[in-house]
Amino acid sequence: MVQAQIQGLKKQFGKNEILKGVDMTVHHGEVICIIGPSGSGKTTFLRCLNLLERPDAGRYVLGSESYLLHRIGSKQRREIALKTAMVFQSYELFQHMTVLQNVMEGLVTPRQFSKKDAKQIALTMLEKVGLSDKASMYPVQLSGGQQQRVGIARAMALSPELLLFDEPTSALDPELVGDVLKVMRQLADTGQTMIIVTHEMQFAYEVADKVIFMADGVVVEAGTPEEVFRQSKEDRTKKFLSQINFKTA
């Protein structure tokens, strides 16, 4: 079953064309990893999917609804916001709120859950990411890896149809990366539909159902991890993988 479909997504800042017509189909329960060089438009693409950036053109089918992205109004923005959630590279936690309050916030304010129900959901999600004992702490008291797991718990609490990750381990010290990737692997095992922008090639190879290589604002190549990493057809993909010295077993 198709969960989301993106057709002809374009975005530019001034005269700089970042996305030049991106197409993508995401099936229910699918894990898609997007790889590619810096400046290829990967983060902008994710931000367009939950309207943190407003696309200039494109059609977006999410669940049973279809949207023309250059005609998005406030009602459509809210619908998309309620169906998606994002985990950011730099955590984006509220520093004046406790861990528990950070996870509850998206339920209480935009979704109008009661504080009692929101607290129960938040505690359940913190337990899933191994941080139930940190609920009363503030972000500044946590390691980067723990803060990112709070970010994942916050996104999970919203029960999104589409969960977006923007390079979730890139700001972490190497020894903290494993705990975050472990949580993401567990999420993949539950059947959560996810699009993950990542530079963790081994993770992408092992966990993704589909790998997409982006460069210069377009999808250059897409396929299974085996097809993209070991049987690349495009020279641009081969060059990128040779530069990062990725080797599969």
Side-chain angles (χ1 to χ4, degrees), residues 16-161:
N16 189 14
E17 193 176 18
I18 305 298
L19 300 174
K20 302 173 183 177
V22 176
D23 299 330
M24 190 176 299
T25 299
V26 186
H27 292 90
H28 180 73
E30 193 170 40
V31 177
I32 294 179
C33 284
I34 303 177
I35 63 172
S38 297
S40 59
K42 306 185 300 296
T43 292
T44 300
F45 175 70
L46 281 196
R47 291 176 65 86
C48 284
L49 293 187
N50 68 347
L51 299 184
L52 290 173
E53 301 288 355
R54 181 161 185 158
D56 298 315
R59 182 169 174 264
Y60 188 14
V61 178
L62 186 57
S64 59
E65 299 296 326
S66 178
Y67 308 93
L68 289 175
L69 289 170
H70 64 289
R71 294 182 180 174
I72 290 290
S74 57
K75 178 177 180 291
Q76 290 79 22
R77 291 179 72 91
R78 176 171 170 77
E79 288 175 357
I80 291 172
L82 291 175
K83 293 177 181 179
T84 61
M86 190 158 174
V87 178
F88 299 90
Q89 178 177 334
S90 53
Y91 324 136
E92 303 291 340
L93 301 178
F94 295 111
Q95 297 299 312
H96 65 288
M97 293 183 178
T98 66
V99 165
L100 180 63
Q101 289 169 336
N102 264 282
V103 181
M104 289 174 59
E105 178 65 14
L107 295 169
V108 173
T109 304
R111 285 169 170 76
Q112 300 182 330
F113 279 65
S114 70
K115 287 190 175 181
K116 178 181 178 182
D117 289 343
K119 182 178 180 180
Q120 186 56 55
I121 293 169
L123 288 172
T124 299
M125 294 305 152
L126 286 171
E127 184 175 359
K128 287 186 176 182
V129 300
L131 291 175
S132 54
D133 60 331
K134 308 293 185 185
S136 62
M137 291 187 174
Y138 288 85
V140 71
Q141 298 174 287
L142 305 181
S143 71
Q146 289 170 333
Q147 289 187 63
Q148 193 58 290
R149 283 151 60 197
V150 174
I152 294 173
R154 176 179 60 185
M156 289 165 51
L158 303 178
S159 299
E161 293 182 20

Side-chain angles (χ1 to χ4, degrees), residues 195-207:
I195 301 178
I196 304 167
V197 169
T198 185
H199 63 280
E200 299 288 346
M201 300 298 153
Q202 194 65 41
F203 172 84
Y205 181 74
E206 294 173 359
V207 176

